[in-house]
Amino acid sequence: MIDLLEKLAKENSIELSKQQLEKFEIYLNMLLKWNKAYNLTSIRKKEDIVIKHFLDSLTLVKLFEAKGIDVSGKKVADFGSGAGFPGVPLKIYYQDLIDLYLIESITKKCIFLEMLSKELKLKYTVLCKRAEEIQEKFDIVVSRATGGTFEVLKIGKNLLVDGGIIVIMKGKEVEEELKPFTTSMFFKGLPERKFIVIQKDGKAQ
């Protein structure tokens, strides 16, 4: 099944090393195992996890490239991380280039993310609390959370340093007021992906 990820990633000009693919395989197996008991994600088929979680998370790599957003040395927060999306796939891809924080308020998901860190031998920080309670500030905030976009924006902006950037991943529907801040991108194997990209000072990227 990881062959599928390698193939689709390559078709979308995302190169994954053997070591990165091995980490995705560990991630997939662990998610399948934990999902039986803890219901971490409603997506349960291997193929769907590979496409709708792994590949979809990696589309951010192409967005950052398209927008000229340099992630090197940046503090990146995944707001509403759930079972680690899109944060953990980004960490697998960027490795030590980013300092990753996963913000998740549900305890069972936090425990999974902590265990996943050990299994993947990846260093990231799990902040097991509501985003509104976090005082720390980040250079980039990403979110694939399904909550109301304006609420995610409001909370996400409060997590940013001055000049920081928030990226919200959306499907087809984007609120009219946010269309000037929205970038649509197309990827092989996925439906159209929209990204709302806003700097803390309110500028479009």
Side-chain angles (χ1 to χ4, degrees), residues 75 77-80 103 127 130-142 152-162 164 166 200:
K75 284 175 71 175
D78 176 6
F79 165 30
I103 300 171
L127 299 173
R130 291 172 59 80
E132 298 93 322
E133 299 165 4
I134 293 169
Q135 301 300 314
E136 202 152 357
K137 303 295 180 188
F138 308 93
D139 301 299
I140 299 169
V141 171
V142 296
V152 173
L153 261 180
K154 180 183 165 190
I155 297 167
K157 276 188 178 180
N158 286 335
L159 295 167
L160 290 172
V161 299
D162 290 339
I166 182 167
K200 187 171 183 175

Side-chain angles (χ1 to χ4, degrees), residues 10-81:
K10 198 169 281 187
E11 284 176 3
N12 288 292
S13 304
I14 301 168
E15 292 295 327
L16 296 172
S17 68
K18 187 180 174 206
Q19 183 195 38
Q20 288 168 327
L21 289 164
E22 284 169 359
K23 287 188 188 300
F24 275 112
E25 187 149 32
I26 292 167
Y27 194 175
L28 176 63
N29 291 333
M30 195 167 162
L31 184 58
L32 289 167
K33 183 180 170 185
W34 277 63
N35 217 23
K36 289 174 185 172
Y38 295 100
N39 194 27
L40 301 174
T41 168
S42 58
I43 295 174
R44 297 183 175 279
K45 290 183 182 173
K46 286 184 183 181
E47 185 177 337
D48 288 343
I49 290 170
V50 165
I51 295 170
K52 295 178 182 177
H53 281 327
F54 294 170
L55 181 66
D56 188 53
S57 296
L58 289 170
T59 61
L60 279 169
V61 170
K62 303 310 291 181
L63 175 81
F64 293 151
E65 285 176 12
K67 292 285 183 183
I69 297 170
D70 182 10
V71 301
S72 300
K74 299 287 173 62
K75 284 175 71 175
V76 179
D78 176 6
F79 165 30
S81 190

